[in-house]
Every structure is written in structure tokens, then in C-alpha cells.
């Protein structure tokens, strides 16, 4: 095997080594003999340099007309399209999910690029009549400055694109610290922006770990905006770290997403949906279906069919087109998932399928976990309450729609939910009463499109949304402008009320 490539930080348009002098290896979770590359183990000095470069670049970037910024984003999205297959392969190697899904991940970045490129010619504000004569008023969006972005490994290109593209179109500059497990996909995304003509310093990449590289970014006084996707635990730390400086913080965190199946549902459709929702991406989506809340009248039949089908799922290296489910991301995650499976057993849930690591043949070189299904899960059990982030599904029987919705809402998270029913009245009741940021009808809990708001309620988020036009509200501030052309002092609320 050839020597692995060394990737450097991108600061002010230059590729530079970390001032720490340290690097780390990025390995393939499906086969740890495969080294993807050597990446910089960066520290606060690197963050300082990157923020300095981003501040400098901001002076010019914020003044470039937004349609011009949009043209660069548009070209970047076109380059992503051209390079989609290569980038999907890189992503499967570094992250593990199967090619069909990594192609989807790159596609999500392409979609976001085109969407935000178009916003370069909109970024609409309002004009509205004044209560005074000869006075004009409007509101415009203004950028905030340097945005610090911290992104997860499960959507290693899509999620950086959800943050970078809207930040840029409004006129901000960026320092991104990608997840240590998946930096290459961020490099690939940013490479397209650079090849599309992005000026140096507008986007800077600093790789490394949370405490040493993430934290100095979060607390840097010249970074007024922090966007983070990851665990609720880390989100809370970021909230505390940024409170004193009152930064703008967007947090996108955990989920414990329920799929409700009513007794009138099309069970063939449910079966396909739950397999995709629970075991797609090896269950490692914030939106993954982790609770199957099923009406008692159909729970027996559905469970039997589900176990029978899930038993045949092919796990392995995602580069093999026949494989349906790849590995989990790393050893620690494998330990977390198996620990939860143990807790499920101890608390009395009935293990119907899976339950342990898969290590036949070459699988032993990777972090594979068997698709796992628990039946007779009680709503209060740990596996029904906590986010596992792995291929583990809990089946919870219920007696009515009201009970199903009550169980669905009875967790600390509120990202995504779904209901399968052929009864339009039940569907509308669920759409109204499921307290999540996203609701699906007759589809699983995964598969959000980029032009609708993405985010969740309760411990999933802190009120912001990514995607949609709503994301622009996070990366900009409104400025209301009043222009008085009457040539005299006009006092609002006073002169016109007399
Ligand atoms: C995530 O799970 O972190 O809606 C993001 C979906 C994808 C994005 C998921 N488009 O499932």
C-alpha cells in the first residue's frame, strides 16, 4: 500500500501544518487496515490563525454583491455534480455508509449549493409604508462576521453544506472544524468552492478534536456565530461556553424518532419504511427510526415479517453495491451500541434479532453491529428513551392513536416522527399533535429535503432551523432602515397622532 496522504489545514487559502506538530490517522471503519489519510491534530493557535484569516477575508467578501457570491456557490455545486461519484466513494471509505447513501449525501450538498446560489438574487427583505409622509422604510439582512462551524461524521458533506452555503451567501466567512472521523468529505466540499473561485480565507478548515480544536473555536472572541450538530451533551457544553459572550448559537442535536403504525396501515409499505428508517445509515442518523410504536392489532404480524426480512440484511463494506448496511463509525460507538443492547436485555425487553458485533471473515477488521430488534419494549425503558445512534429498533405496542402519540412525545427529544395510516383523520390528528420539528405521513422518519426547515423541538435543538429559507435568519441579522425625505423632523408616534 502507498503512503497515506497528509492533509493540512486550510488557512487564508494556504495549506498549512498544525502548529501543534501533531497529526492523526483517519481510518476506514469497515476495514481499519485502510488508512484514508493523515490529518492535522490542531490546537488553539491554529484556530487563532484561521479566525484571523476569516476576519481579513470578511472585509471584502461581505461587500461582494450577493448574486456574485451566488455564482461561486453555483459553480461549486456544478463541480460537486461532476465529482459526485469520487466524493461518494471517499465518503464511504471514511464514514462507512453504503455508496447509494453517500451519493445521496453529496447530492444533498449539491441541492443546498444550488438553493443558496439562487438566494444570492433574492435575500428578500421587506419594504413597507411609513406612518409619516415622505418617509421610506425597509429591512435588509446583514452578515455577522466569522462563523464557527462544528460538524458531525454521519452526514460529512451534507451537514457542512447546510452551514457553509447559507453562511456564505449572506456574506459571512467561515472556520469549520469537521468531525475528526470524517474530515476528507469537508475537504472535498471546500475544494469545489475553491475551484469555483472562492477568495482565500473565506472558508478555512481546521481539523482535530473537540477539546483541543473545537473549544477554542467556540470560545474565540472574534467568532460571533457558532453552529453545531452533534450530541446534546456537547450542545449543552457549547451553550455554557458561549453564554458569557452571548454568541448566536445554533444547536442541532439528538433524536429518538418514533414511527407510529396504526391497525389500518399498509404493512408492506411499513415494512420497507421501517427497514430504511431504522437500519439505513446503520441507524446513525439524528432522524433514524428508533422506536416502532405499533397498534396491538397488527404488532404480531408486523414483528414477525420485520424480523424475517431484517435477518437477511447484508452487512459489510459499503463500497460493495450488494451491501445494505455498513459499519458503525468507530470502536467507541460500537461499545456504546452494545452497551445499550445489554441494558435493553437487562431491563426485560425481548431481543428478537441481532444483539452483538458481527465479526465473520473480513468483518472482523471493521466495527460492524448486527441489525438488532427488541420487542415488548416499555415506553419507560432506557432503550425507548435514550438516543443509541446505531442499528437498534425498539417495538412498543399500543392500544390507540392517542396512546401512540402520547408515547411518541414522551421522550426528551423532538426531531422527527412518522405515522402510517390510511385514515386521513388520524393522519391529521398526528400531524397536529406530534411535537417534533418534522412529521412524515406514510414514510419513515428520515429523508428531509433541504428546502424545508430542518430541526427539532425540546432537547433536539435550541429553536433554530437549518435548511429552508429559515436558515438565513440564523446567518444574518435584520437591519431596519428609515429614510426621511420630508426635509423636516418627523417624530414617529407623536406627530402623526395629533
Ligand atoms: C441527520 O440525521 O443528522 O433527513 C441528518 C434526513 C437527511 C439528513 C439527516 N436528509 O434523514
Amino acid at each position: 500500500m502507498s503512503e497515506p496522504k497528509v492533509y493540512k489545514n486550510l488557512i487564508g487559502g494556504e495549506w498549512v501544518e498544525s502548529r501543534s506538530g501533531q497529526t492523526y490517522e483517519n481510518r476506514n471503519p469497515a476495514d481499519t487496515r485502510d488508512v484514508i489519510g493523515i490529518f492535522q491534530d490542531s490546537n488553539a493557535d491554529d484556530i487563532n490563525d484561521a479566525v484571523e484569516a476569516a476576519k481579513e477575508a470578511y472585509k471584502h467578501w461581505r461587500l461582494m454583491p450577493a448574486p456574485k457570491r451566488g455564482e461561486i456557490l453555483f459553480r461549486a455545486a456544478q463541480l460537486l455534480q461532476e465529482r459526485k461519484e469520487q466524493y461518494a466513494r471517499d465518503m464511504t471509505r471514511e464514514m462507512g455508509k453504503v455508496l447509494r447513501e453517500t451519493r445521496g449525501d453529496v447530492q444533498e450538498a449539491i441541492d443546498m449549493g444550488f438553493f443558496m446560489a439562487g438566494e444570492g438574487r433574492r435575500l428578500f427583505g421587506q419594504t413597507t409604508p411609513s406612518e409619516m409622509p415622505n418617509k421610506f422604510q425597509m429591512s435588509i439582512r446583514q452578515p455577522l462576521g466569522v462563523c464557527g462551524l462544528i460538524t458531525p461524521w454521519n452526514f460529512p458533506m451534507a451537514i457542512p453544506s447546510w452551514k457553509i452555503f447559507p453562511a456564505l451567501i449572506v456574506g459571512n466567512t467561515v472556520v469549520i472544524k469537521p468531525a475528526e472521523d470524517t474530515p476528507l468529505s469537508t475537504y472535498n466540499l471546500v475544494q469545489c468552492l475553491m475551484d469555483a473561485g472562492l477568495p482565500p480565507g473565506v472558508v478555512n478548515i481546521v481539523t482535530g478534536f473537540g477539546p483541543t480544536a473545537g473549544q477554542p473555536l467556540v470560545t474565540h472572541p472574534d467568532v460571533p456565530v457558532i453552529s453545531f450538530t452533534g450530541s446534546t451533551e456537547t450542545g449543552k457544553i457549547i451553550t455554557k461556553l458561549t453564554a458569557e459572550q452571548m454568541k448566536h448559537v445554533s444547536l442541532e442535536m439528538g433524536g429518538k424518532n418514533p414511527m407510529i403504525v396504526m391497525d389500518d396501515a399498509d404493512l408492506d409499505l411499513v415494512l420497507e419504511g421501517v427497514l430504511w428508517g431504522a437500519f439505513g445509515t446503520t441507524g446513525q442518523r439524528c432522524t433514524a427510526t428508533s422506536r416502532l410504536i405499533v397498534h396491538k392489532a397488527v404488532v404480531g404480524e408486523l414483528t414477525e415479517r420485520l424480523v424475517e426480512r431484517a435477518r437477511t440484511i447484508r452487512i459489510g463494506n459499503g463500497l460493495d453495491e450488494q451491501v445494505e448496511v455498513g459499519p458503525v463509525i468507530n470502536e467507541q460507538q460500537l461499545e456504546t451500541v452494545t452497551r445499550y443492547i445489554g441494558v435493553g436485555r437487562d431491563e426485560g425487553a425481548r431481543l428478537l434479532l441481532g444483539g452483538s458485533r458481527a465479526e465473520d471473515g473480513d468483518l472482523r477488521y471493521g466495527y460492524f453491529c448486527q441489525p438488532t430488534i427488541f420487542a415488548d419494549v416499555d415506553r419507560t425503558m432506557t432503550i425507548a428513551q435514550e438516543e443509541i445512534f446505531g442499528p437498534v429498533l425498539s417495538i412498543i405496542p399500543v392500544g390507540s392513536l392517542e396512546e401512540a402519540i402520547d408515547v411518541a412525545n414522551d421522550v426528551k427529544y423532538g426531531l422527527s416522527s412518522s405515522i402510517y395510516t390510511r385514515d386521513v383523520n388520524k393522519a391529521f390528528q398526528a400531524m397536529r399533535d406530534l411535537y417534533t420539528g418534522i412529521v412524515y405521513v406514510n414514510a419513515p422518519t428520515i429523508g428531509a429535503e433541504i428546502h424545508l426547515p430542518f430541526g427539532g423541538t425540546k432537547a433536539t435543538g435550541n429553536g433554530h432551523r437549518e435548511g429552508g429559507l429559515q436558515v438565513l435568519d440564523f446567518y444574518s441579522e435584520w437591519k431596519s432602515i428609515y429614510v426621511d425625505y420630508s426635509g423636516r423632523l418627523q417624530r414617529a408616534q407623536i406627530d402623526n397622532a395629533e
Side-chain angles (χ1 to χ4, degrees):
M1 263 191 191
S2 58
E3 280 292 297
K5 182 171 171 189
V6 178
Y7 292 85
K8 298 180 182 174
N9 287 332
L10 176 64
I11 298 180
E14 305 286 331
W15 300 106
V16 292
E17 283 174 8
S18 168
R19 288 177 184 262
S20 72
Q22 308 287 317
T23 56
Y24 72 96
E25 282 178 345
N26 176 13
R27 285 178 182 264
N28 181 343
D31 183 346
T32 52
R33 296 168 299 179
D34 177 21
V35 180
I36 312 299
I38 309 290
F39 287 85
Q40 304 301 309
D41 183 356
S42 311
N43 63 16
D45 293 332
D46 303 313
I47 291 291
N48 289 342
D49 292 345
V51 172
E52 209 43 56
K55 268 174 68 180
E56 198 51 40
Y58 178 64
K59 291 178 187 163
H60 305 286
W61 180 249
R62 79 180 183 91
L63 298 177
M64 181 187 282
K68 287 276 163 226
R69 294 196 292 256
E71 284 171 23
I72 295 175
L73 268 52
F74 193 91
R75 276 202 296 280
Q78 286 177 317
L79 291 172
L80 282 168
Q81 269 181 325
E82 286 170 21
R83 303 170 188 176
K84 179 172 169 179
E85 189 58 25
Q86 181 56 46
Y87 288 174
R89 286 179 179 275
D90 286 349
M91 195 188 296
T92 293
R93 263 182 80 207
E94 76 167 348
M95 187 277 172
K97 62 186 174 184
V98 299
L99 268 179
R100 195 179 37 189
E101 293 187 29
T102 51
R103 289 182 191 124
D105 196 311
V106 179
Q107 186 60 46
E108 202 157 335
I110 295 167
D111 296 343
M112 196 67 195
F114 285 134
F115 179 42
M116 283 298 133
E119 274 314 298
R121 286 191 182 267
R122 280 186 290 266
L123 290 178
F124 293 139
Q126 306 92 29
T127 62
T128 183
S130 167
E131 59 192 48
M132 302 295 198
N134 298 325
K135 192 178 167 196
F136 180 86
Q137 50 203 32
M138 62 188 157
S139 63
I140 61 167
R141 291 185 187 278
Q142 57 184 339
L144 290 112
V146 181
C147 301
L149 313 180
I150 299 183
T151 51
W153 45 262
N154 67 336
F155 275 80
M157 187 178 283
I159 293 180
S161 83
W162 295 357
K163 300 182 194 298
I164 291 176
F165 288 135
L168 294 187
I169 199 65
V170 179
N172 303 286
T173 56
V174 163
V175 176
I176 182 165
K177 203 292 279 173
E180 56 269 22
D181 287 303
T182 56
L184 179 56
S185 296
T186 298
Y187 276 76
N188 287 341
L189 173 65
V190 174
Q191 187 65 54
C192 289
L193 277 161
M194 293 182 36
D195 293 346
L198 193 76
V202 174
V203 174
N204 304 274
I205 307 176
V206 179
T207 57
F209 297 81
T212 40
Q215 180 157 339
L217 178 58
V218 163
T219 54
H220 198 295
D222 294 334
V223 179
V225 180
I226 300 292
S227 178
F228 166 77
T229 300
S231 71
T232 300
E233 208 180 13
T234 306
K236 280 185 187 161
I237 296 172
I238 291 176
T239 304
K240 287 182 190 141
L241 286 173
T242 53
E244 197 60 42
Q245 298 175 72
M246 294 193 292
K247 295 191 182 209
H248 293 226
V249 179
S250 169
L251 303 172
E252 183 54 53
M253 302 170 288
K256 191 68 193 170
N257 313 294
M259 177 191 285
I260 295 174
V261 180
M262 294 311 298
D263 48 355
D264 62 11
D266 174 345
L267 292 190
D268 294 335
L269 198 62
V270 170
L271 199 59
E272 272 184 90
V274 67
L275 286 165
W276 175 226
F279 302 125
T281 325
T282 324
Q284 301 174 112
R285 294 194 191 210
C286 322
T287 52
T289 306
S290 62
R291 294 179 295 151
L292 188 62
I293 302 171
V294 190
H295 195 284
K296 283 178 181 143
V298 291
V299 73
E301 182 190 347
L302 178 62
T303 303
E304 198 176 306
R305 290 180 62 188
L306 179 59
V307 171
E308 191 185 317
R309 173 64 186 85
R311 204 184 289 287
T312 68
I313 288 177
R314 292 190 57 166
I315 55 181
N317 190 325
L319 290 174
D320 175 350
E321 299 270 7
Q322 303 304 314
V323 164
E324 294 170 286
V325 170
V328 298
I329 187 70
N330 54 34
E331 189 156 17
Q332 195 193 341
Q333 193 59 27
L334 187 61
E335 273 166 24
T336 304
V337 175
T338 40
R339 181 167 47 78
Y340 272 115
I341 293 170
V343 170
R345 280 178 158 143
D346 292 347
E347 291 187 355
R350 197 154 54 90
L351 181 68
L352 297 183
L353 185 73
S356 47
R357 184 174 187 164
E359 4 189 28
D360 298 347
D362 280 354
L363 294 187
R364 71 179 186 280
Y365 297 115
Y367 307 115
F368 290 94
C369 180
Q370 296 167 334
T372 297
I373 300 177
F374 279 106
D376 298 336
V377 177
D378 184 86
R379 64 197 279 175
T380 59
M381 288 179 184
T382 307
I383 54 167
Q385 288 290 327
E386 293 184 16
E387 181 176 53
I388 300 173
F389 229 65
V392 182
L393 180 69
S394 296
I395 304 178
I396 308 173
V398 289
S400 66
L401 177 63
E402 288 68 25
E403 190 189 349
I405 292 174
D406 191 42
V407 171
N409 286 337
D410 187 20
V411 288
K412 65 180 172 195
Y413 300 112
L415 181 53
S416 179
S417 59
S418 111
I419 180 164
Y420 279 74
T421 179
R422 286 189 260 218
D423 181 336
V424 69
N425 295 355
K426 290 196 172 80
F428 269 89
Q429 195 177 328
M431 285 186 252
R432 184 192 59 200
D433 293 340
L434 286 167
Y435 184 43
T436 53
I438 305 169
V439 176
Y440 291 91
V441 177
N442 292 330
T445 57
I446 67 175
E449 300 179 26
I450 53 95
H451 50 301
L452 276 185
F454 181 96
T457 62
K458 301 188 281 187
T460 294
N462 62 344
H464 295 289
R465 290 292 182 265
E466 304 200 276
L469 290 177
Q470 288 73 7
V471 69
L472 297 172
D473 286 332
F474 178 69
Y475 289 102
S476 62
E477 280 179 309
W478 286 108
K479 180 183 273 176
S480 297
I481 301 176
Y482 300 90
V483 183
D484 192 320
Y485 57 99
S486 68
R488 57 196 174 89
L489 173 66
Q490 300 197 88
R491 293 167 299 183
Q493 295 96 37
I494 295 175
D495 292 344
N496 60 339
E498 279 171 359

